[in-house]
Every structure is written in structure tokens, then in C-alpha cells.
Amino acid sequence: MSKEKQSGKEKQDISRRQFLSYSIMGVGGFMAAATVMPMLRMAIDPVLKAEASGDFIATNVKVDEITTEPQRVDFNFEQKDGWYESTVTQTAWVYKDENGEIVALSPICKHLGCTVSWNSSDNYPDKFYCPCHKGVYDKDGTNVPGTPPRGPLDRYQYQINDGVLYLSRRASEVGGE
Amino acid sequence: MLNKVYDWIDERLDITPLWRDLADHEVPEHVNPAHHFSAFVYCFGGLTFFVVVIQVLSGMFLTMYYVPDIVNAWESVYYLQNEVAFGQIVRGMHHWGASIVIVMMFLHTLRVFFQGAYKKPRELNWIVGVLIFMVMLALGLTGYLLPWDMKALFATKVTLDIAQSTPLIGDMLKTLIAGDQHIIGAETLTRFFAIHVFFLPAALLLLIGLHFIMIRKQGISGPL
């Protein structure tokens, strides 16, 4: 029976009704996708947008002025937040380590984002100290175990042009990215 | 007069059965506080809904003055709070209602949990209820940023840090919620506003609709 016989009869594999319902599903699916896709793409745009170029910002600090004692360095840059442009001030704690390498640490506490400062607590001399929850970091930014922070302070990248210190806009995680 | 209007409409649209399905049904004795005072525990779900209605209404009126823009958001809230007649009252309703709705919802959840009312055949309604719980928490979270004061900003900072600590997708998730990789600013505020005012309320109404349809289908769980 049958295989030949059926093909001989040119049996229709698909009924008219099925064909129509598939067509409607296809067209409907296409229309739904064409409606929803632009909206979703719009919503996730910030995730896919390429990050603004990581150019370096000139500070007002000359490299010769940097000592082994961390000093606070503020620097400004123009920030574009969507349609809103503003001048943002970033802060770094800058010093030269024992090898003469420049280190620029972010003052944002790795516990809950308060602001740490160098040598500001009598109880923790020569440490970075966060007044919010008593987080403590060593000079190289390593968090002191037993205090709240879960990691070392972020670091800015730096460049030296004409003896002037340039820093990256954002500090990045040590060991990360 | 009103009867005539009702009859006129009913004659054309036959709305009486609709009305009967919606509202005209007996409250079983074991859930009626007039019979057993302890039955007040059955009120928490209804109270949650009552406060939700207040939240929706007061929120709608607040948007007559509020602007989700980082330059003007705080000013617009300050204005509606201090210059607009009854603005303080309406914002107060929205502010306190936001907390009360969480409390009522929590008490309702406790009642359902300790009475075992979530058991077969009501599992699906429990699941929908948990989804409502999450939507409500998200509403509270997104609404918190909108006044754009220091408290709002730093609470959101902490929220985004928590989102960012998600394994693998943390950074993407944070950017998706905040609208920018580093900045909590213009795009964050508009996103939170849109989510708070359009997306979540739509989801909430849908889920509450399901919640109520299931209650009508299954009835209130029997006495303990």
C-alpha cells in the first residue's frame, strides 16, 4: 500500500484550512515582532551602546610634585548624561609607591560607596578611612580584613604628558576589567 | 431617576448578570467579622486593594505637577508639596499609602500562609500573589527615586550596587536599570518614572485581575 499509491494520487500534505491558519500565524507573528522589536531595542540601548572613549583628563598636578604621601587631587571633565551635559569633579588620592610608580586611588569606599580619605582618623594613622562604617584600607588601597569593605579601592589609570599627570575619567576595579 | 437610567441601560445591554457576577454574592459566615470578630484577618486582601486604588488615583494626580527631569524634578515636587492647595495631602496619601500597602499585603500573605489557604486547588493564586508582591516592591523601589533628593539618590545607588553584584550579568543589569554604565542621572530618572508610572501599574492591574478572577472561580477557602 500506499507510499506509491499516495504519491501517485498527489495527496495534499496540507489542507486549505491549515495553510490559512499557518499564514495568519506567520503574518500575525511578523506584525507582533515588528511592533515589539523596536521598543525592546530602544529599551536596551544603554546596554549595547559603545562606551564613550576613555580619554585622559589633565589634572593640575605636576609629576615632580607627587610624593610618597597620598595627596588629594580633584579634576574636572565634561560629562554627557544623555541630553544633559555637566561638569563633573572626580577625586583621586595620588602618590608614588616605593618603586616610583604613580598610584591613583578612587575615594569611593568598596563597602557602600561613602568617601574615604587618607590619614583622617586618629585611630587609623596612615590608612584610608571611611567614616560611614569604619572601613579601613592600607596605603596601596588593600582593604584591611575585619573591616566592612569587600575589596581594594579602585584605581585610576594615568598618563604623563609634559610632566603633568593625566587621569582616566573613571576608576576601575583592581584585578577586574 | 437612577433606577430608570439603570433600566434603560439594562434593557439594551443586559448588565444585571454582569453586576451579579461582579458584586452580588454572599459573604460566607466564617469570613464575616460581624459573625466572628476574628474574621477581620480576611480583610487584609481587600484593604490592600483599597490602598492600591488610592495609590493609583493619587499617583495620577501627582503627575499633573511632577516632571521626571533631573533639573526640575525636585523643584516640581517642592512646588506641589508647598504651593499647590492640597498638594501636601495628595502627596502624603501617596507617600504613606506606599508603606501601608506593603504592610497590608504582608498581613494578607501571613493570613493565607498560616491558614494554609494556598494549598490545592489555590496554588496558582498563591503564585500570582507572590508576583503581585514583587511588583509592589518594585513600585516602592522605583517611586523612591522620583523626588530626586539626596535620600532618593543614595538609596538608588545602593539598589544599583546590589543589582550590579549579580553574578555574570551584574554590569549589564545595572546599565539596563540605570540607563548608563556609570551615571545615575537623567536617563535613570526617566526610566524609573516610566517603569513606576506605566509598566508596573499595567502589570499590577493584570495580576490583580487574575487574582480576583481566581477567587471568584474557586471561592474563599473554607473555615479552619
Side-chain angles (χ1 to χ4, degrees):
Chain A
M1 209 155 132
S2 21
K3 271 228 159 132
E4 291 111 292
K5 214 176 184 182
Q6 278 184 358
S7 59
K9 273 202 267 173
E10 285 184 279
K11 183 181 180 286
Q12 278 184 309
D13 293 326
I14 197 170
S15 70
R16 180 181 297 252
R17 176 180 290 265
Q18 263 178 327
F19 173 76
L20 276 173
S21 80
Y22 288 157
S23 307
I24 289 171
M25 276 195 289
V27 172
F30 180 79
M31 283 166 66
T35 316
V36 172
M37 203 276 287
M39 302 179 198
L40 290 181
R41 181 60 184 81
M42 185 187 175
I44 62 168
D45 191 54
V47 180
L48 301 178
K49 214 169 222 166
E51 200 188 344
S53 64
D55 49 343
F56 286 78
I57 311 296
T59 65
N60 55 5
V61 174
K62 297 209 169 65
V63 174
D64 329 336
E65 294 169 354
I66 301 172
T67 62
T68 53
E69 180 75 5
Q71 58 172 309
R72 182 184 165 138
V73 174
D74 291 334
F75 59 106
N76 303 318
F77 64 89
E78 295 299 314
Q79 177 180 274
K80 266 186 80 170
D81 174 17
W83 53 91
Y84 182 78
E85 293 179 23
S86 58
T87 306
V88 173
T89 303
Q90 289 280 51
T91 301
W93 287 93
V94 179
Y95 67 93
K96 279 180 183 154
D97 66 12
E98 54 272 25
N99 306 322
E101 274 299 289
I102 292 173
V103 177
L105 294 172
S106 159
I108 310 291
C109 183
K110 296 296 277 183
H111 175 223
L112 287 174
C114 289
T115 307
V116 305
S117 51
W118 173 253
N119 216 354
S120 59
S121 166
D122 293 338
N123 296 329
Y124 301 100
D126 294 336
K127 301 270 185 203
F128 287 103
Y129 176 73
C130 177
C132 289
H133 309 94
K134 301 182 179 169
V136 182
Y137 303 83
D138 289 328
K139 187 177 172 187
D140 66 353
T142 311
N143 52 313
V144 173
T147 65
R150 289 165 300 164
L153 290 171
D154 291 349
R155 289 185 181 211
Y156 292 95
Q157 282 149 312
Y158 71 93
Q159 278 180 353
I160 299 162
N161 291 329
D162 297 333
V164 173
L165 177 70
Y166 282 63
L167 291 175
S168 57
R169 288 161 185 258
R170 312 277 173 197
S172 45
E173 226 160 76
V174 174
E177 292 163 289
Chain B
M1 175 62 196
L2 270 181
N3 270 336
K4 271 195 181 148
V5 174
Y6 181 87
D7 289 340
W8 189 88
I9 297 172
D10 196 37
E11 195 186 339
R12 274 143 251 260
L13 294 171
D14 193 24
I15 56 172
T16 298
L18 221 80
W19 171 246
R20 206 178 286 139
D21 280 352
L22 206 66
D24 189 17
H25 54 102
E26 239 170 84
V27 178
E29 189 187 315
H30 74 282
V31 306
N32 188 342
H35 286 269
H36 312 282
F37 181 68
S38 63
F40 73 86
V41 292
Y42 287 94
C43 292
F44 294 131
L47 287 172
T48 309
F49 179 64
F50 176 65
V51 185
V52 165
V53 171
I54 292 178
Q55 291 304 95
V56 171
L57 289 176
S58 57
M60 278 162 57
F61 282 92
L62 285 176
T63 57
M64 285 184 171
Y65 292 93
Y66 179 76
V67 237
D69 171 78
I70 55 173
V71 178
N72 294 307
W74 189 88
E75 296 285 347
S76 71
V77 173
Y78 187 87
Y79 178 83
L80 81 86
Q81 172 90 13
N82 295 294
E83 308 277 331
V84 179
F86 283 79
Q88 194 182 18
I89 303 285
V90 176
R91 178 152 181 258
M93 289 160 77
H94 206 72
H95 174 98
W96 295 107
S99 295
I100 292 168
V101 83
I102 302 286
V103 172
M104 288 302 157
M105 186 171 55
F106 187 62
L107 291 173
H108 174 62
T109 311
L110 285 183
R111 189 227 102 198
V112 171
F113 182 78
F114 281 113
Q115 291 192 336
Y118 56 86
K119 290 176 185 172
K120 193 183 171 188
R122 288 175 240 279
E123 306 96 320
L124 279 176
N125 220 1
W126 171 265
I127 291 169
V128 169
V130 171
L131 292 178
I132 292 176
F133 207 128
M134 291 173 180
V135 170
M136 294 280 207
L137 292 182
L139 275 164
L141 188 108
T142 49
Y144 207 84
L145 178 68
L146 301 185
W148 201 242
D149 54 11
M150 280 299 187
K151 193 169 67 163
L153 176 71
F154 283 106
T156 302
K157 222 166 214 179
V158 172
T159 304
L160 291 172
D161 277 351
I162 293 170
Q164 196 172 17
S165 66
T166 313
L168 301 176
I169 58 162
D171 286 343
M172 267 162 73
L173 193 64
K174 187 215 162 172
T175 311
L176 185 66
I177 300 171
D180 190 281
Q181 208 170 343
H182 305 289
I183 309 165
I184 300 175
E187 299 193 61
T188 317
L189 188 57
T190 47
R191 254 164 205 261
F192 273 51
F193 179 74
I195 293 169
H196 184 76
V197 169
F198 294 108
F199 290 76
L200 290 176
L204 185 67
L205 290 185
L206 183 84
L207 289 170
I208 287 180
L210 286 174
H211 209 60
F212 288 176
I213 288 169
M214 282 194 249
I215 296 170
R216 287 313 310 274
K217 263 261 160 8
Q218 300 178 320
I220 296 167
S221 57
L224 290 177

